[in-house]
């Protein structure tokens, strides 16, 4: 029996109709709402590609059932941070540092970093690396990512 | 030339196919339209195969080489912008579309710029020459008196001008690529050689980029494959009632041992694949992993490839005052793409259209046609960017899966592999084993080098498609591990050298090329063993390399500059510092395939004697890849290639039982994480007047040996088996 679930995503109240409330949030964001920021990488909560913010906290949307998302919770995806025309300071820092190769993991990196910078002012390089320790990048752009987060921490 | 035939733009509008092309500022741009008309040339010797100028003066580059996340789309655009004198922002790119782009070969081997880019440069130079000649006629000004700026040809006096759009807009060049057409003098370059920001990055940073995983077509439904629990198992029965309650399930597709499900929604397909009950035969055809190297050594040798033979190495070994031998091995590795493979296919009206992140869309078209016993012309494959693949991963297999599922349900089907599918079923970098021997005379000179590599036979052909094999459809049976015997021969001069590759009849897993196939593993073996020889004769390992590079000025310069860049201090033996954490430095060198890109590197490591853990602190790299198109993009690639290979060197090893891969996620196949990443310091040697060579693969070749050699410096033991897991380090320390 299809069920309609209200969600608050990127500043807007919306709703999704799903067959299974146990479906991970990732598929609601991607398939029901057409968002591209959250990405499928492992479905196991191991790689971080699917990271979104729920009430400011980084969450692995691939292992978060829709039913577990509180009605009042505010979800933010990469699209909710900024656009090409008006990028968020983190997005701008990643562009300036050219901190991507294939870029598939970067959405998760930026979302994780956004949550981290909100609670940590002027982080050290070691703190940045630790904060992102559970986000994987296969192309090996880690050094640029760290520089971009550092840059954003200064400009934010 | 400049004939008014059907134009590319008209043609694009006429194909009725969704194309993702790239342009500034609003991309990706998707174009739909109606009925098909004439064909665009894709012939490699035709300018029209590569370039088109529309009525507004926008240029479209058709590239058979695709951007696998390395930034080559930007680099190729720089080359066109430079050679044609059009603004970077006025160029769109269509890549890897079998109907529209020339077959420039697989996107592999770090050849996109070196080969693909030079074809495109020459096509652009030909086009520019023709446009100048046409402008000379129209303006009645000699070619020598004309200059081009921003796509406008004008006389030097400035009194007369005509735009490319006016000269050719919307028409064909109808011109063969002229190998003699003059290319620009590098001294005049304005765009090539600049760190132009990659133009895919802003969209990737904001969620506006279309990855393969994001790609949709109207009417598309979702498929998942259900692979056998053992690689060679046969499907005995399927209980369709096990999935009857899955909402939106369209079909359980079974063909031979190929099993899949199709559902209206992605989550429906995932649930159906998880819940579907099927029984399979038992199969235990894999070797015992604990005896892998015995298995490799016992495998039938089909032939020997002698990759170099100078003097008589075997005789010289027998007569040498001192003989040194060592065996090196390199584990089976997976590609480990961050996104599991994905594809969309539509089989309709006897034609196949497939959107894929394949690095070889043209070859994939042939493979899909063979699988379905169709004509190649009835299949079209279009490239859509995926996550990095670093070789031939699962993209082509996901494409074949999507094709079979679409054919079964009569609708466009998107297949997204799971992490388990990717780790379990993408083809693997095969196990590599090398025996090395050297002879040293009474005066301390190396007089013989003899190596024997054990590696599967085959080269860089087409890797068989999983779906075709499971479904009992036609597929290529020959193994294609890549050109894995490259860099078995050495860049050093000794009086007697023989390097042999024993080509094995089989290997445990479907092999394919992982980044720098063979070059990475063979260079590891060679550069570590060379380090052993330097230590054996009491020579500084950097000086020892320089001593034996003969008549190669560029190689010599790389190593000399590396010595200064890394502040190398000569030594005649390992320094083996005391204490729980020892530090060391290792040096290494490669001349890629002995024909192109040169690299030297110094690694700084820490070795914890108690835990066996290695920390790679820093890599200092000097690279000469000839002409540099985009310095920052080159640095990005070197950093990435080094870091990825540090991961391979320290951590990665496929795990399996007698039936299947068991390292099916990132916990069981760990890769390097953020806190473990070394600093990478790079010195580029730019040679603007030389040919541009490959950039991203070569650094992978130098990493494992630099680390192993640094560990020797730190603690005095040799690590001869990748990965250098703590248990191996401890075992080496204990047996020292």
């Amino acid at each position: 029996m299809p069920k309609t679930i209200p969600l608050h995503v990127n500043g807007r109240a919306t709703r999704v109709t799903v067959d299974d409330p146990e479906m991970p949030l990732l598929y609601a964001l991607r398939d029901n709402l057409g968002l591209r920021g959250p990405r499928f990488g492992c479905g196991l909560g191991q790689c971080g590609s699917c990271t979104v913010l729920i009430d400011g906290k980084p969450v692995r949307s691939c292992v978060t059932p829709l039913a577990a998302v509180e009605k009042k919770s505010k979800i933010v995806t990469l699209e909710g941070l900024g656009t090409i025309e008006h990028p968020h300071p983190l997005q701008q820092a990643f562009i300036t540092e050219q901190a991507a190769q294939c870029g598939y993991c970067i959405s998760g990196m930026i979302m994780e970093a956004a949550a981290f910078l909100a609670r940590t002012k002027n982080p050290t390089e070691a703190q940045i690396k630790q904060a992102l320790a559970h986000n994987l990048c296969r192309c090996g752009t880690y050094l640029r990512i760290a520089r971009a987060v550092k840059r954003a921490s200064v400009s934010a | 030339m400049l004939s008014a035939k059907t134009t590319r733009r008209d043609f694009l509008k006429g194909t009725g196919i969704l194309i993702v092309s790239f342009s500034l500022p609003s991309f990706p741009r998707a174009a739909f339209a109606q009925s098909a008309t004439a064909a665009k040339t894709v012939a490699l010797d035709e300018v029209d195969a590569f370039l088109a100028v529309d009525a507004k003066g926008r240029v479209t580059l058709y590239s058979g080489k695709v951007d696998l996340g390395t930034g080559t789309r930007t680099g190729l655009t720089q080359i066109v912008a430079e050679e044609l004198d059009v603004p970077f922002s006025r160029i769109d790119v269509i890549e890897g579309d079998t109907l529209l782009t020339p077959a420039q070969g697989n996107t592999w081997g770090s050849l996109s710029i070196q080969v693909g880019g030079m074809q495109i440069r020459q096509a652009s130079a030909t086009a520019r020459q023709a446009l100048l000649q046409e402008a000379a006629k129209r303006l009645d000004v000699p070619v020598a008196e004309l200059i081009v700026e921003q796509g406008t040809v004008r006389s030097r006096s400035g009194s007369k001008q005509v735009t490319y759009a006016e000269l050719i807009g919307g028409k064909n060049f109808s011109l063969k690529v002229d190998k003699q057409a003059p290319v620009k003098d590098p001294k005049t370059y304005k765009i090539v050689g600049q760190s132009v920001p990659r133009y895919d990055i802003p969209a990737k940073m904001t969620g506006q980029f279309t990855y393969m995983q994001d790609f949709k077509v109207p009417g598309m439904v979702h498929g998942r494959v259900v692979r056998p629990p053992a690689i060679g198992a046969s499907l005995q029965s399927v209980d369709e009632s096990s999935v009857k309650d899955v909402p939106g399930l369209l079909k359980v597709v079974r063909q031979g041992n190929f099993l899949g499900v199709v559902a209206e929604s992605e989550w429906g397909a995932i649930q159906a694949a998880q819940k579907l009950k099927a029984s399979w035969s038992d199969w235990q055809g894999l070797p015992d992993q604990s005896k892998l190297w015995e298995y490799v050594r016992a495998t039938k040798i089909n032939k020997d490839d002698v990759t170099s033979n100078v003097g008589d190495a075997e005789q010289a070994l027998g007569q040498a005052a001192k003989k040194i031998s060592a065996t090196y091995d390199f584990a089976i590795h997976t590609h480990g793409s961050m996104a599991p493979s994905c594809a969309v296919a539509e089989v309709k009206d006897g034609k196949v259209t497939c959107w894929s992140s394949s690095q070889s869309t043209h070859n994939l078209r042939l493979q899909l046609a063979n699988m379905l016993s169709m004509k190649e012309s009835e299949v079209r494959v279009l490239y859509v960017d995926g996550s990095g693949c670093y070789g031939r991963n699962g993209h082509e297999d996901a494409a074949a899966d999507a094709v079979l599922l679409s054919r079964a349900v009569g609708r466009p089907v998107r297949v997204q592999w799971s992490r388990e599918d990717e780790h379990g079923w993408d083809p693997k970098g095969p196990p590599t084993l090398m025996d090395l021997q050297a002879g040293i005379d009474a005066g301390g000179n190396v007089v013989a080098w003899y190596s024997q590599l054990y590696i599967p036979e085959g080269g860089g052909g087409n890797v068989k498609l999983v779906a075709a094999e499971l479904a009992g459809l036609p597929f290529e049976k020959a193994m294609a591990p890549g050109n894995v015997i490259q860099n078995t021969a050495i860049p050093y001069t000794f009086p007697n050298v023989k390097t042999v590759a024993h080509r094995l009849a089989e290997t445990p897993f479907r092999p394919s090329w992982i980044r720098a196939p063979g070059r990475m593993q063979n260079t590891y073996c060679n550069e570590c063993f060379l380090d052993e020889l330097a230590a054996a004769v009491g020579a500084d390992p950097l000086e020892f390399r320089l001593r034996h590079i003969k008549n190669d000025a560029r190689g010599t310069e790389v190593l000399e500059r590396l010595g200064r860049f890394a502040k190398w201090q000569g030594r005649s033996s390992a320094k083996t510092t005391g204490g729980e954490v020892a530090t060391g430095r290792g040096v290494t060198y490669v001349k890629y395939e002995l024909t192109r890109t040169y690299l030297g590197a110094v690694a700084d490591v820490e070795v914890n004697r108690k835990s066996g853990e290695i920390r790679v602190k820093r890599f200092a790299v000097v690279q000469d890849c000839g002409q540099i198109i985009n310095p920052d993009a080159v640095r990005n690639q070197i950093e990435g290639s080094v870091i990825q290979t540090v991961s391979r060197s320290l951590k990665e090893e496929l795990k399996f039982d007698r039936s299947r891969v068991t390292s099916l996620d990132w916990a069981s196949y760990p890769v390097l994480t953020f806190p473990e990443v070394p600093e990478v310091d790079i010195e580029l040697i730019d040679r603007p007047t030389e040919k541009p060579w490959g950039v991203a693969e070569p650094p992978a070749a130098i990493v494992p040996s630099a680390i192993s050699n640094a560990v020797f410096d730190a603690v005095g033991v040799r690590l001869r088996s990748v990965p250098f897991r703590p248990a191996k380090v401890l075992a080496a320390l204990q047996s020292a």
Side-chain angles (χ1 to χ4, degrees):
Chain A
M1 181 68 96
K3 196 176 169 191
T4 298
I5 296 174
L7 288 175
H8 194 280
V9 181
N10 294 335
R12 284 211 328 257
T14 183
R15 49 189 64 231
V16 295
T17 302
V18 299
D19 295 311
D20 177 12
E22 291 304 309
M23 179 175 86
L25 173 63
L26 174 68
Y27 299 102
L29 296 173
R30 287 185 58 82
D31 295 343
N32 297 68
L33 299 178
L35 294 166
R36 296 171 176 186
R39 292 181 194 135
F40 172 69
C42 64
L44 305 164
Q46 293 177 338
C47 76
S49 301
C50 66
T51 304
V52 299
L53 302 182
I54 299 183
D55 297 329
K57 294 197 175 64
V59 168
R60 302 294 192 245
S61 66
C62 75
V63 289
T64 303
L66 257 184
V69 180
E70 300 280 339
K71 268 185 198 166
K72 289 183 207 158
S73 289
K74 291 188 166 55
I75 300 165
V76 178
T77 72
L78 186 65
E79 291 93 336
L81 291 187
T83 61
I84 292 179
E85 295 74 27
H86 302 287
H88 181 276
L90 264 167
Q91 291 169 318
Q92 183 56 57
F94 273 69
I95 294 167
T96 304
E97 293 289 346
Q98 295 283 289
Q101 287 191 26
C102 82
Y104 197 85
C105 69
I106 298 294
S107 171
M109 294 282 182
I110 290 177
M111 301 316 290
E112 192 79 41
F116 167 67
L117 290 185
R119 63 178 191 266
T120 314
K121 301 297 171 198
N122 300 314
T124 63
E125 198 180 309
Q127 284 176 310
I128 291 170
K129 288 180 175 177
Q130 202 52 50
L132 295 170
H134 300 290
N135 288 69
L136 301 178
C137 166
R138 185 58 165 168
C139 295
T141 40
Y142 289 115
L143 296 169
R144 285 166 182 254
I145 293 167
R147 288 201 289 271
V149 175
K150 184 73 187 165
R151 176 181 284 271
S153 76
V154 174
S155 64
Chain B
M1 65 159 265
L2 311 193
S3 63
K5 293 179 191 163
T6 307
T7 70
R8 260 72 75 235
R9 284 292 172 200
D10 291 342
F11 179 69
L12 283 183
K13 285 176 193 145
T15 58
I17 293 290
L18 189 59
I19 294 169
V20 181
S21 75
F22 292 83
S23 59
L24 281 173
S26 58
F27 86 97
R29 191 160 47 86
F32 264 116
Q34 299 83 33
S35 60
T37 50
K40 170 192 174 293
T41 181
V42 292
L44 277 169
D45 62 349
E46 292 282 343
V47 172
D48 293 316
F50 295 96
L51 293 168
V53 181
D54 76 6
K56 289 180 179 167
R58 283 199 76 80
V59 175
T60 299
L61 164 64
Y62 297 92
S63 172
K65 298 285 189 189
V66 300
D67 191 332
L68 300 170
T70 58
T72 53
R73 189 180 284 120
T74 299
L76 295 174
T77 303
Q78 284 178 259
I79 290 171
V80 173
E82 184 69 68
E83 217 57 51
L84 268 184
D85 277 316
V86 292
F88 185 84
S89 58
R90 214 183 282 167
I91 301 170
D92 302 331
V93 186
I94 291 174
E95 292 183 334
D97 179 338
T98 56
L99 198 63
L100 300 178
T101 61
Q104 293 180 276
N106 289 1
T107 304
W108 62 3
S110 283
L111 295 170
S112 292
I113 298 290
Q114 181 177 329
V115 172
M118 294 308 95
Q119 291 168 329
I120 287 165
R121 175 178 281 171
Q122 206 55 43
S124 303
T126 306
R128 186 178 197 272
Q129 179 177 252
L131 288 162
L132 277 172
Q133 286 164 356
E134 185 71 13
K137 271 191 244 165
R138 295 238 195 137
L139 301 178
D140 196 22
V141 174
V143 168
E145 294 298 311
L146 295 174
I147 53 170
V148 189
E149 286 170 346
Q150 311 269 311
T152 296
V153 187
R154 66 180 98 239
S155 59
R156 284 186 196 279
S157 64
S159 60
K160 294 177 174 180
Q161 68 176 52
V162 61
T163 65
Y164 282 175
E166 289 163 339
L167 289 169
I168 185 80
K171 289 179 289 192
N172 286 324
F173 285 97
S174 300
L175 196 62
K176 296 281 182 201
V177 175
D178 177 2
K179 288 187 176 142
Q180 306 306 320
V183 294
K184 278 195 181 174
D185 181 346
K187 285 197 205 84
T188 68
Y189 281 170
K190 297 187 186 79
I191 303 168
V192 164
Q194 300 299 310
S195 289
V196 173
R198 274 175 50 176
Y199 69 105
D200 54 336
I201 284 185
K204 285 178 170 175
M205 300 303 101
T206 50
Q208 293 175 45
F209 192 80
T210 304
Y211 287 97
M212 184 66 240
Q213 286 75 8
D214 305 316
F215 184 83
K216 294 184 179 83
V217 295
M220 185 184 87
V221 291
H222 295 268
R224 285 291 186 281
V225 289
V226 180
R227 296 295 193 218
I231 290 171
S234 298
L235 182 56
Q236 293 171 326
S237 66
V238 179
D239 174 11
E240 293 203 24
S241 69
S242 59
V243 290
K244 68 179 188 326
D245 294 334
V246 173
L249 180 73
L250 292 170
K251 193 165 186 173
V252 174
V253 179
R254 178 183 176 178
Q255 184 169 0
N257 296 318
F258 177 83
L259 186 60
V261 294
V262 182
E264 290 286 352
S265 75
E266 183 167 22
W267 184 241
I270 293 168
Q271 285 181 300
Q274 285 171 349
K275 289 179 179 171
L276 185 66
K277 284 189 183 148
S279 64
W280 302 81
S281 68
D282 189 32
W283 182 87
Q284 297 195 14
L286 292 173
D288 177 353
Q289 183 162 23
S290 69
K291 300 191 175 86
L292 176 64
W293 302 113
E294 291 92 318
Y295 162 86
V296 168
R297 215 173 264 287
T299 304
K300 180 172 173 262
I301 294 169
N302 272 358
K303 65 165 181 169
D304 279 350
D305 288 324
V306 178
T307 54
S308 64
N309 197 3
V310 178
D312 189 335
E314 284 154 291
Q315 189 190 29
L317 268 176
Q319 295 167 355
K322 188 176 178 187
K323 203 168 133 183
I324 293 177
S325 59
T327 293
Y328 281 81
D329 65 60
F330 196 113
I332 305 172
H333 278 197
T334 202
H335 296 83
S337 301
M338 287 314 299
S341 296
C342 180
V344 173
E346 180 168 26
V347 181
K348 191 180 173 186
D349 304 330
K351 291 193 187 299
V352 175
T353 309
C354 180
W355 293 266
S356 166
S357 301
S358 171
Q359 57 168 220
S360 49
T361 49
H362 288 82
N363 283 345
L364 176 58
R365 172 172 65 164
L366 181 63
Q367 287 193 283
L368 294 175
N370 286 345
M371 177 175 80
L372 300 179
S373 301
M374 293 171 75
K375 286 185 203 148
E376 213 181 331
S377 59
E378 290 165 339
V379 180
R380 180 177 183 185
V381 182
L382 298 92
Y383 178 73
V384 186
D385 293 55
S387 73
C389 57
Y390 328 106
R392 197 290 198 188
N393 68 350
H395 289 321
E396 289 78 5
D397 298 302
D401 293 336
V403 165
L404 288 191
L405 293 179
S406 175
R407 190 171 73 158
V409 299
R411 290 175 69 176
V413 174
R414 171 182 183 268
V415 169
Q416 168 69 69
W417 276 14
S418 67
R419 173 51 53 198
E420 186 174 326
D421 292 333
E422 187 74 28
H423 268 49
W425 288 86
D426 89 315
K428 306 302 177 195
T432 304
L433 182 70
M434 195 190 282
D435 292 328
L436 298 115
Q437 295 170 280
I440 298 171
D441 71 12
N445 304 300
V446 176
V447 292
W449 173 289
Y450 181 36
S451 71
Q452 299 176 77
L453 173 71
Y454 298 82
I455 198 76
E457 66 177 338
N462 289 327
V463 177
K464 69 181 177 185
L465 298 171
V466 173
E469 186 174 27
L470 289 175
L473 294 168
F475 65 93
E476 282 123 326
K477 292 182 177 62
M479 291 191 290
N483 197 354
V484 283
I485 60 174
Q486 288 280 10
N487 282 106
T488 46
I490 54 175
Y492 306 107
T493 306
F494 299 121
N496 302 283
V497 176
K498 188 174 184 184
T499 55
V500 184
H502 302 306
R503 308 308 301 273
L504 308 179
E506 58 179 33
T507 190
F509 298 92
R510 184 174 60 128
S512 80
W513 44 98
I514 56 174
R515 194 183 228 174
R519 293 85 165 160
M520 172 175 62
Q521 296 92 333
N522 302 334
T523 303
Y524 158 60
C525 304
N526 289 340
E527 285 294 311
C528 286
F529 192 60
L530 191 86
D531 217 69
E532 295 200 37
L533 300 187
V537 301
D540 171 64
L542 178 57
E543 185 277 323
F544 189 72
R545 284 169 170 82
L546 277 166
R547 194 196 305 170
H548 292 101
I549 295 177
K550 299 245 168 76
N551 303 318
D552 194 334
R554 288 172 76 169
T556 299
E557 183 175 343
V558 161
L559 278 174
E560 285 174 344
R561 286 174 69 159
L562 176 67
R564 294 192 292 273
F565 183 60
K567 297 187 172 58
W568 181 261
Q569 290 173 313
R571 62 166 192 256
S572 57
S573 63
K575 76 173 174 294
T576 54
T577 53
E580 186 172 310
V581 177
T583 61
R585 307 192 89 190
V587 65
T588 190
Y589 168 77
V590 72
K591 180 179 183 179
Y592 206 62
E593 298 169 0
L594 299 186
T595 58
R596 49 191 183 124
T597 310
Y598 295 87
L599 274 129
V602 169
D604 285 278
V605 306
E606 286 178 1
V607 184
N608 187 310
R609 293 176 192 273
K610 202 169 160 190
S611 68
E613 279 173 29
I614 298 170
R615 282 209 61 136
V616 180
K617 304 291 285 182
R618 174 177 182 250
F619 256 85
V621 180
V622 175
Q623 176 159 318
D624 172 359
C625 55
Q627 182 187 77
I628 293 171
I629 308 298
N630 184 322
D632 186 64
V634 168
R635 287 175 181 275
N636 197 351
Q637 288 307 299
I638 295 172
E639 288 168 18
S641 192
V642 166
I643 288 168
Q644 182 179 96
T645 315
V646 170
S647 178
R648 293 197 180 284
S649 304
L650 296 185
K651 300 198 149 195
E652 298 182 33
E653 180 174 25
L654 190 86
K655 298 288 186 187
F656 54 94
D657 61 21
R658 303 303 292 266
S659 299
R660 64 186 310 207
V661 176
T662 55
S663 49
L664 295 169
D665 62 11
W666 296 116
S668 51
Y669 189 92
V671 293
L672 206 69
T673 62
F674 232 119
E676 301 165 305
V677 170
E679 291 302 315
V680 182
D681 296 323
I682 299 162
E683 180 165 287
L684 298 178
I685 301 177
D686 187 16
R687 299 190 186 278
T689 57
E690 298 288 344
K691 290 174 186 164
W693 283 332
V695 167
E697 275 192 11
I702 47 95
V703 171
S705 53
I707 297 171
S708 176
N709 296 343
V711 169
F712 172 73
D713 182 42
V715 293
V717 301
R718 294 286 176 188
L719 296 180
R720 301 191 181 99
S721 178
V722 168
F724 310 140
R725 291 261 181 94
K728 285 185 192 166
V729 177
L730 290 176
L733 283 168
Q734 276 156 18
S735 63

